[in-house]
Amino acid sequence: MAPVAVFQAAFLLAWLPLSTYQSEAVLSEPLSLSVHINSTQQSLHLKWSVHNMTHPELQMAFQIEISRMNKSNVIWVENYTTTVHQDQTLRRMWKSELPLECATHFVRIRGKEDDPRMPQRRVWSSWSSWVKADAQSWLGPDPLVFPKEKQVEEGSDVTLCYVSRHVQSHVVCTLNGIPVPGEQLDPHVFVVTLRNISFVRNTGSNFFCEEDRNHTQPGLVIFVAKVLEEPKGFSCETRDWKTLNCTWDPGSDTDSWKFPSQRNLFESFSGKNQSCEQKNWCSWQVDSQKIYNFTLLAKNVFRERRVTLLFHLAHRVHPMTPFNVALKRVSATNATMTWTVHPLGNNFTLLCQVELHGEGRVVQQHNVSTWGNGQYSFRGLAPATEYRARVRCATAQHFWKWSEWADQEFSTLQAAPSTAPDVWRSVRPTLGSCNVTLFWKPLSRSQAHGEIQFYTVATELLHTPSSSQLFPIPSPANGTELSLDGCSHQIRVTASNGAGTSPASMMVIARDLGDPWNPGNQTAEVKEGRAQGTGDGVSMSWKPPPGNVLGYVVEWCDGPQDSPCDLRWESLGPNATSTVIKSDAFRPGVQYNFRIYGISPERMAYLLERKTGYSQELAPADNPHVTVNNLTSHSFTLSWEDYATDAQPGFIRGYRVYLRSQAEQCLPGFTKAVLPDNTACCKHDIDNPEQKTFMVKNLQPESFYEFLVTPHTRAGEGPAQAFTNVITTRDQHPRVLIRILLPMVFPLLLLTILCYVKSQWIKETCYPDIPDPHKSSVLSLLKPKESPHPSIMSVRDCVPDALEVVNKAARRSLAEVERPKHDYLHLLPTGSSAGLGPGICFENLTYNQAAPDAGPCGPSPAPHPAPPGQGGLLTSPGGLLRSPSYVNSPGESPAGEAPLNYVSQVAPPTSGHKDSPPTALLELAPRSEYRTQMAVPPGLASPTPDEKSHLWAVSLLDAGGPRR
């Protein structure tokens, strides 16, 4: 068995290469390939065939390569699979974006078996030889642009080239005169690519190229076609069950003489195809077929568009327009309409819509079902009115579309007017009669019910109804004048047409001045109010009267106040308390006067209120003429008394005073403001329109100010005019003060100089350092209490009698141990007096304030006579006062020292003291109190020469110094 297995394996190994060789041998030889150039289509047409096929029919795969300019520059590769028959020639086309004349192309091909019936390994054959396609070999000596003609769709990219036999230099190409960029493909070829090219015109776009050395301009025409759009709104319907009409919207027009488009209608159930001559519709004959499936095909040289439609014929029925529309049995309020429809068969019920139009709007609308002819009766019509009736129909079972409208006009008959005329009057009482002007408004068509032929005015006295008078007024008059005897009449007005007379409009004119309903009695009591403008009218309201009213009437003149009155009025119901009066005659900025009347149950009119208003207020046309009064240094007054507020195009609501100055801060009462020219100023608002003066205060003297006064209405301020200048005067107060103070300054100055010159004399006279009794008049005011005669003290005449020493210190000297509590130092007189004379006690308040038990000064006998050299002052053996005693304050005297009281001889005393010696020894004069001059310490001793000199100086100061 082993040798057999080895033999089989060897056989298989030998057979497989042989079979593979036989399979590869089928395509071992190159395929025969030929290439043809089509310059019109700018394409290469390839043809090849397969030799030595092992089967009559094989599925094979081919690979095609195309190179440009050189064989290695492969620009396109395609794999193509197809079934190949024995001795069959295969073809393939390739379109080049670059014109074939611009470059040389090379093509080669190879193939392999790709049949699933052949399980052997599939291997590509060898490449065929390169086949050269050279369109430049056909060119002549002149430069050319390729392709010669180009047809493209809008939005496409186009590649063009300029080819010449010589080497090119500086080539410039233009499209419709505009230069376009390009690139040099080789020294002889210049290539331009136009991207997203747009449609310009049906005759195409012009493309030219030119170079420096050659002034010829070869070129071509590029035809650009619009993009073919898909049909929209494709629909089919029948109107008579005989023909189907199919319509669609083709979109923008893409047809031209160069690019015509075609449209075909194809029905898939029947397989019929029909060419459509029109661009947006096509007809199809109907047979017994009920369901249709249409395909609409639109195409041109670039593309195709398809839409489909599937429908049932019974669902696409569009009835034809009804005909023979007529109106029958027409009266003042009724009419009957009839019509005829085109038959659609016995199985179809039509739904018809009927409309009645009057005065430009739909008055009635109804739906009517019918199988044939139809009719409908209109009711509730207005007499003598023109109407238009119309009808349209549609299928009731499967509604598709309404038919077109069929209409007919007609007019109803006349009837008597249904409304009384709207009447008003103007009364002018005269002596013994009244002149009455009647006005009435023409009745509308809906009220007149026909053409008004005449009006009838009937008048009768209130208290004599039988005295009636008739005044026929032919139409189209809208008023009349009557002269009535007396002013107590009843007036009736009616309107008549060919069918009858309207109800009467009645009013009463009474002259009874005592009647509160009489307008003549009410006019003086009615105040005038303001009405509000609305832009297209005037709005007003009023307070209803306490009694019953039948209605109200608002009366006004349609023109300005200075023009003749074109009387207008508006009648309102009894419940109205406000209204908006509108008129085409109203003009902005014009003031109108309104009078509101109430109609009493007796048909008399009485005036309720007066109103003044504007339909639209405007800003004041001019500013007031302002005068400056009372000009001072700190204020001035502005006045515009002659400004007429009633003549303005709006209600003056107030004034604004603008002020400009060099100061940054505004005056009190003014606020910052910015003018239309963006300049800053200050303003003050005057809210009272009747105030036409204004005082500007708190100004600076001799300062420059500018002012402007503008009125303002609801619409705005007056015009921005130039400011007026004003300069304040000089300040008058300094002058007045100078006049008052100047006469006072000179005497005061003179007095000051005089006082300065005599200052020493004044000092010595009024307040000397040491008062002199002879020079001072102050002491003359001090009178003794007991003596009526004043006494003037002289230091020279003052003889001390005694010195009282008060000892309070704890420490005492040896010389003072045996002394009593109160010692008197008797000062002997300096003269030849033998005994003690009258004296006065000087108490030192400064140095003796703290001395307890210091009683009044009293006389004391002197134990030693005074030396003559001491000026009448004797000292005790204890020595003189030391200098510290003169500077110590009260309570600070050194130990062993005590304050002293001087007792001087001035006048004999009249009474004694309990501590004094007996009166037999000394008679004291009445005592007078003086300020203390000096203090002498206890223990008086003979002073040293220095001390004596010091004490003598003190005595001199005491004699001449002031009293304190």
Side-chain angles (χ1 to χ4, degrees), residues 45-344:
H45 294 265
L46 283 62
K47 295 192 302 182
W48 71 92
S49 60
V50 180
H51 305 288
N52 302 324
M53 292 182 59
T54 57
H55 295 81
E57 180 179 324
L58 287 175
Q59 184 172 346
M60 299 184 65
F62 300 94
Q63 191 175 61
I64 304 172
E65 285 186 354
I66 298 179
S67 300
R68 178 175 293 164
M69 300 183 67
N70 54 69
K71 298 176 182 179
S72 61
N73 183 25
V74 177
I75 62 171
W76 186 74
V77 175
E78 180 186 12
N79 293 317
Y80 172 63
T81 302
T82 186
T83 300
V84 181
H85 301 277
Q86 188 73 32
D87 298 331
Q88 178 184 359
T89 301
L90 302 175
R91 291 177 173 83
R92 196 70 177 160
M93 184 187 71
W94 173 74
K95 293 193 68 174
S96 175
E97 295 180 357
L98 179 70
L100 298 176
E101 293 83 358
C102 300
T104 302
H105 292 79
F106 301 91
V107 184
R108 69 177 181 177
I109 190 173
R110 67 178 178 176
K112 68 177 180 179
E113 295 179 353
D114 195 22
D115 199 321
R117 298 173 299 174
M118 306 296 293
Q120 63 269 23
R121 187 166 59 93
R122 300 163 185 171
V123 181
W124 286 106
S125 68
S126 302
W127 285 102
S128 67
S129 301
W130 287 101
V131 178
K132 181 179 180 180
D134 186 9
Q136 293 182 346
S137 60
W138 306 341
L139 301 180
D142 297 330
L144 295 174
V145 173
F146 293 99
K148 295 182 178 180
E149 184 178 285
K150 189 66 175 179
Q151 300 176 3
V152 295
E153 194 175 38
E154 187 177 21
S156 303
D157 296 339
V158 180
T159 302
L160 310 172
C161 66
Y162 172 75
V163 181
S164 61
R165 290 295 185 183
H166 56 269
V167 176
Q168 299 175 359
S169 64
H170 192 65
V171 179
V172 177
C173 297
T174 60
L175 178 65
N176 294 323
I178 301 175
V180 291
E183 61 178 349
Q184 203 73 40
L185 189 61
D186 63 28
H188 302 278
V189 179
F190 184 79
V191 178
V192 176
T193 300
L194 305 177
R195 303 192 180 279
N196 194 20
I197 192 168
S198 59
F199 173 83
V200 178
R201 50 184 174 269
N202 290 330
T203 56
S205 299
N206 298 322
F207 179 83
F208 295 98
C209 290
E210 182 181 10
E211 60 178 316
D212 291 343
R213 68 175 63 185
N214 189 355
H215 296 290
T216 60
Q217 291 184 339
L220 77 157
V221 178
I222 304 174
F223 292 96
V224 181
K226 292 183 178 180
V227 178
L228 182 65
E229 297 182 15
E230 182 179 278
K232 302 178 183 62
F234 180 41
S235 175
C236 297
E237 64 185 19
T238 181
R239 311 200 68 172
D240 54 3
W241 282 84
K242 296 179 181 178
T243 305
L244 271 172
N245 295 319
C246 297
T247 59
W248 60 88
D249 179 14
S252 59
D253 187 11
T254 60
D255 287 353
S256 65
W257 64 274
K258 196 70 176 178
F259 308 104
S261 59
Q262 299 178 2
R263 293 164 183 86
N264 296 325
L265 194 60
F266 174 73
E267 203 285 311
S268 60
F269 293 140
S270 63
K272 296 180 180 178
N273 191 6
Q274 181 175 328
S275 176
C276 300
E277 300 295 334
Q278 305 298 326
K279 293 186 295 184
N280 58 349
W281 66 273
C282 192
S283 62
W284 188 277
Q285 295 299 318
V286 175
D287 50 17
S288 59
Q289 186 176 345
K290 303 300 180 183
I291 300 176
Y292 291 85
N293 186 12
F294 283 111
T295 299
L296 175 64
L297 174 64
K299 63 180 180 179
N300 60 12
V301 295
F302 300 106
R303 66 179 65 212
E304 295 181 353
R305 302 287 191 178
R306 298 173 184 268
V307 291
T308 60
L309 178 64
L310 177 65
F311 61 91
H312 192 286
L313 183 62
H315 298 173
R316 297 299 178 102
V317 178
H318 183 190
M320 299 181 68
T321 306
F323 61 100
N324 292 336
V325 179
L327 275 300
K328 301 178 180 179
R329 299 184 295 276
V330 178
S331 65
T333 57
N334 300 324
T336 301
M337 176 183 181
T338 61
W339 65 90
T340 304
V341 296
H342 294 273
L344 291 176

Side-chain angles (χ1 to χ4, degrees), residues 557-619:
C557 295
D558 236 356
Q561 296 181 1
D562 55 351
S563 62
C565 180
D566 185 9
L567 186 64
R568 292 289 183 269
W569 74 96
E570 182 173 328
S571 300
L572 303 171
N575 297 324
T577 57
S578 63
T579 187
V580 178
I581 303 298
K582 296 183 179 182
S583 174
D584 295 337
F586 285 165
R587 296 292 179 266
V590 178
Q591 188 180 90
Y592 298 95
N593 296 325
F594 300 88
R595 291 172 293 276
I596 303 171
Y597 292 88
I599 308 301
S600 69
E602 293 80 14
R603 303 285 180 175
M604 290 186 294
Y606 58 95
L607 184 62
L608 290 178
E609 295 183 18
R610 295 176 183 270
K611 299 288 185 180
T612 301
Y614 301 81
S615 62
Q616 181 180 353
E617 294 188 46
L618 301 179

Side-chain angles (χ1 to χ4, degrees), residues 768-920:
D769 294 335
I770 301 176
D772 189 351
H774 295 284
K775 297 180 180 181
S776 176
S777 61
V778 177
L779 296 178
S780 64
L781 301 177
L782 300 175
K783 298 180 181 181
K785 297 180 181 179
E786 289 83 5
S787 178
H789 302 285
S791 58
I792 301 175
M793 184 184 70
S794 175
V795 177
R796 296 171 184 166
D797 298 335
C798 183
V799 178
D801 295 329
L803 179 66
E804 180 183 0
V805 180
V806 181
N807 296 322
K808 291 183 63 177
R811 294 183 305 168
R812 297 181 182 181
S813 64
L814 295 175
E816 295 174 347
V817 171
E818 300 298 330
R819 292 182 181 180
K821 181 177 181 181
H822 296 285
D823 294 333
Y824 287 89
L825 231 167
H826 299 276
L827 303 179
L828 300 179
T830 58
S832 60
S833 300
L836 297 175
I840 189 169
C841 176
F842 289 86
E843 183 179 1
N844 192 335
L845 302 178
T846 305
Y847 301 103
N848 198 25
Q849 290 179 356
D853 302 330
C857 298
S860 178
H864 304 287
Q870 298 297 323
L873 180 60
L874 299 180
T875 60
S876 64
L880 293 175
L881 177 68
R882 297 295 183 262
S883 59
S885 300
Y886 298 96
V887 297
N888 288 344
S889 60
E892 294 181 355
S893 299
E897 297 181 1
L900 302 181
N901 291 335
Y902 292 104
V903 179
S904 300
Q905 180 181 358
V906 177
T910 57
S911 61
H913 191 268
K914 64 179 181 176
D915 296 330
S916 303
T919 57

Side-chain angles (χ1 to χ4, degrees), residues 239 318-323 325 337 351-357 362 364-367 378 388-393 402-408:
R239 311 200 68 172
H318 183 190
M320 299 181 68
T321 306
F323 61 100
V325 179
M337 176 183 181
L351 176 66
C352 296
Q353 188 178 70
V354 178
E355 286 185 354
L356 183 66
H357 289 247
V362 178
Q364 297 182 22
Q365 188 179 62
H366 308 278
N367 292 330
F378 298 106
R388 181 167 63 93
R390 63 180 189 172
V391 61
R392 63 180 180 178
C393 298
W402 288 108
S403 68
E404 291 77 11
W405 288 102
D407 56 3
Q408 183 66 41

